Amino acid sequence: MTTQAVNGSGTEGAAGQAPERWREREDEDSLFRQLRLTVRQGLEVDGDTPAGAWEALTQVGAWEFALPIEKEGLDLGQAVLAMVCEEAGNAMQPVPLADTLLALDVLSALGPLAPEGTDDLLDRVRAGELQLAVPGRLPDPRGTVPPGIAWKPDGDGAGVLLTGTGGPFAAGVGPDGLLVLASGPDGPCVALVDLPAAGVTVRPLRDHGGGAVAGAVFDEARIPAGSVLLRGLAAEQALARVGLRAAVHQASLLAGITAAALTAVVSRIRGRQQFGQALVKHQGPRLRVAGLLARLDAVRWAVGDAARDLDEGRLTPGEAAGLIALTAETTLDVTRDAVHLHGASGLVRDGLVAGCYRRAAWEALRCGRPAHLWDTAAHTP
């Protein structure tokens, strides 16, 4: 599969279809593959802008994929959601997909703790009318809240005051609300902040070609009790569950970004001439790209297996930490090498490979630094 992708030696099928892309998984059943192709086709046809990509995800029912059946969803499992994240990463549109999936996970599992209006929020997300972003890092695979945003009780009421800074996060569309993860005197806190809000500023950051990105600043932002979803022990338990899923979703997104970079590289070495023949005919570039493709294949297999283990309740925090560390390192290495293989054109800000490299620089750290995650994997069951 890898050699065929680099050399371009594949043959078309009897019906004249293009040869299967190297990034397909050979163990996917026909229904799963058809679903993948439906998502990909929607993103390719309508996803040439962030707003178009968000609409395409809504049209294929990505939000129903995530919701449980009792919330009028399809509950297709984490393997399907990982596939959606991978395809969205490959489309390279900066939409808060993993963030919104995390928010849906939290909101749909609140049960009797759910504040009034939660079902309306889910309906708005399902209709594509509510984009939710998580400012700063996602919870790590153990559910630990990252530093940056702190909370404290707001007087004698059940509300909280938020202070700190979170970012970066994808801001190609919206966001219409923020799912804030904060640490405080009584443990973590999860709050849903509708925008605009007093004391909350969303600041666009320089994207350097990787897509729209923003940060959020909280200056003694007063969050009412109705917007505080979870606090203390309940928040710890919820974040421990969604932290595993966030790691798999983010790893899938990174695999998609890596695939986008390598697609650009393969196209480049096929079309670039040197010494009278295409670069793909030279042993050095060909073997280098084959090695990068092999690394991506290994990551995609690991992500797919982790998603299935998550569906079956077998994925542990240590395994999830190792997965996201491996994927983050691979994405950073591969996108850097992709820039080198493009030569000077790889530095062009508007180029795809440069965009992949710059976006990977912050997406790869959203669950924590790889060195810290490897340490977590080594010391966590």
Side-chain angles (χ1 to χ4, degrees), residues 20-86:
E20 182 183 47
R21 294 197 229 182
W22 54 267
R23 63 175 177 268
E24 301 287 10
R25 278 194 58 160
E26 295 176 353
D27 67 330
E28 291 175 355
D29 61 48
S30 58
L31 290 178
F32 190 97
R33 181 164 297 192
Q34 184 58 50
L35 188 57
R36 178 187 287 277
L37 293 176
T38 300
V39 173
R40 178 182 299 163
Q41 194 171 45
L43 289 169
E44 288 178 346
V45 172
D46 301 318
D48 54 345
T49 64
W54 191 266
E55 179 64 22
L57 291 170
T58 302
Q59 290 297 323
V60 300
W63 318 123
E64 280 87 352
F65 297 171
L67 288 172
I69 294 174
E70 59 268 21
K71 295 294 183 180
E72 300 181 12
L74 299 176
D75 197 12
L76 296 185
Q78 299 306 310
V80 170
L81 294 180
M83 174 272 292
V84 173
C85 290
E86 181 184 342

Side-chain angles (χ1 to χ4, degrees), residues 62 155 189 254 296 357:
C189 171
L254 290 171
L296 174 60
Y357 174 75

Side-chain angles (χ1 to χ4, degrees), residues 26 113 122 178 184 208 216 228 254 288 315 325:
E26 295 176 353
L113 298 176
L122 295 177
L178 301 175
H208 298 289
V228 179
L254 290 171
R288 189 174 178 185
L315 188 68

